[in-house]
Amino acid sequence: PDLAEPKSVRPTEAEAPARKPPTGEIAFVSERDGNTEIYLMRADGSNARNITRHPSADYAPAWSPDGGRLAFISDRSGKPEIYAMDADGSHLVQLTDDLEGAWWSDGLAWSPDGSRLVAERGYTFNDFWTRGELQIVPSDGSDFWPLYSDQRMAHNDFDPEWLPNGDRVDFLGFRYTTSALYSVLSDGGVPQGVFVRGAEQVLGYASGGPEGEIVLVSWWLDHFGPDFTYRLRIAILQRETGDMQSVPG
């Protein structure tokens, strides 16, 4: 079956840099040398350098919490797999060797202690349907396993993020409707809805506020507006109470 990612597989220079660079340097993807590679540069844009230097496509860099390693996705083995390397490009390790699925770029995040990653795996079933499921990938290269056991066939989960204490993972998911925000214990369990509104689709989020706040970006179709206008909202969501305050603008 074709496990090609149903979204952009080859990021360009416009791709967002790796989140939260702890070293003071930024990891980003560029095709400036004619191939998709991972680069580092200083925050002022200077000293950009290619750290993967491989003819295959390398993309989706993610910093380890201590800034010492980068995880990324590469098709150098013939299909997308997850790798990790030191921040200077040395000590490359292949973390996955998946015979049935392929790893997608919309979700690669380290646990706060650096022992695991959570990643989005593309899986085709019934020789037709392709869905995204979240997997826990140990950073030592041992076998990966599902983030939670009941990943039903109609679900598509993506964009995971560990909470700072490592106890939970937030993610976006489709549950037979538009995308919504869910959370699950990092050692498994049943996902709980954090922001689930059938008509309002979550476009992005950032968890981990000091008081449990979540920055949420969503949109919905305003059936009562002129020409069925789409409305965009940026809001601060309180995890415990569900209270939400829209950001003016």
Side-chain angles (χ1 to χ4, degrees):
D2 183 6
L3 294 174
E5 182 177 2
K7 51 179 93 75
S8 176
V9 179
R10 297 181 60 85
T12 68
E13 215 159 324
E15 182 186 83
R19 295 181 183 179
K20 304 174 184 175
T23 63
E25 291 196 301
I26 297 171
F28 67 100
V29 174
S30 175
E31 294 180 346
R32 62 184 60 187
D33 293 333
N35 182 49
T36 305
E37 302 276 11
I38 296 172
Y39 288 74
L40 292 184
M41 68 177 179
R42 294 175 182 152
D44 63 3
S46 64
N47 196 31
R49 57 204 183 278
N50 183 344
I51 61 169
T52 43
R53 302 181 300 276
H54 195 277
S56 297
D58 302 311
Y59 51 97
W63 285 106
S64 65
D66 64 1
R69 303 178 77 196
L70 276 166
F72 65 99
I73 298 175
S74 176
D75 64 4
R76 60 185 64 194
S77 69
K79 59 186 177 67
E81 298 286 0
I82 300 174
Y83 294 77
M85 61 183 173
D86 288 352
D88 62 0
S90 63
H91 299 103
L92 178 71
V93 178
Q94 183 174 341
L95 300 183
T96 62
D97 185 11
D98 191 349
L99 300 179
E100 297 181 346
W103 300 93
W104 293 348
S105 61
D106 195 8
L108 187 59
W110 291 81
S111 62
D113 65 2
S115 66
R116 297 168 290 169
L117 296 103
V118 60
E120 185 186 9
R121 176 178 181 260
Y123 179 75
T124 297
F125 58 96
N126 293 337
D127 295 323
F128 181 75
W129 297 103
T130 300
R131 66 186 178 98
E133 59 184 22
L134 298 178
Q135 301 281 323
I136 297 295
V137 179
S139 59
D140 63 3
S142 53
D143 290 343
F144 58 87
W145 66 87
L147 172 61
Y148 61 94
S149 59
D150 185 21
Q151 299 198 29
R152 300 177 184 178
M153 294 302 184
H155 292 181
N156 277 286
D157 298 335
F158 58 101
D159 198 13
E161 183 174 326
W162 292 83
L163 268 63
N165 62 10
D167 290 343
R168 303 188 71 87
V169 174
D170 288 350
F171 61 94
L172 298 183
F174 287 96
R175 297 291 186 271
Y176 315 104
T177 180
T178 56
S179 60
L181 179 61
Y182 296 87
S183 186
V184 67
L185 292 171
S186 58
D187 58 359
V190 178
Q192 305 296 317
V194 178
F195 185 84
V196 182
R197 297 186 181 180
E200 188 168 355
Q201 179 172 344
V202 179
L203 302 178
Y205 73 99
S207 298
E211 303 298 330
E213 302 97 339
I214 302 169
V215 179
L216 197 72
V217 181
S218 60
W219 72 344
W220 70 96
L221 180 61
D222 184 357
H223 294 279
F224 301 100
D227 301 321
F228 294 98
T229 304
Y230 276 97
R231 305 292 185 185
L232 179 69
R233 169 161 54 188
I234 302 175
I236 306 298
L237 176 68
Q238 300 297 326
R239 180 184 300 272
E240 296 301 325
T241 65
D243 295 337
M244 187 165 63
Q245 181 177 359
S246 295
V247 176

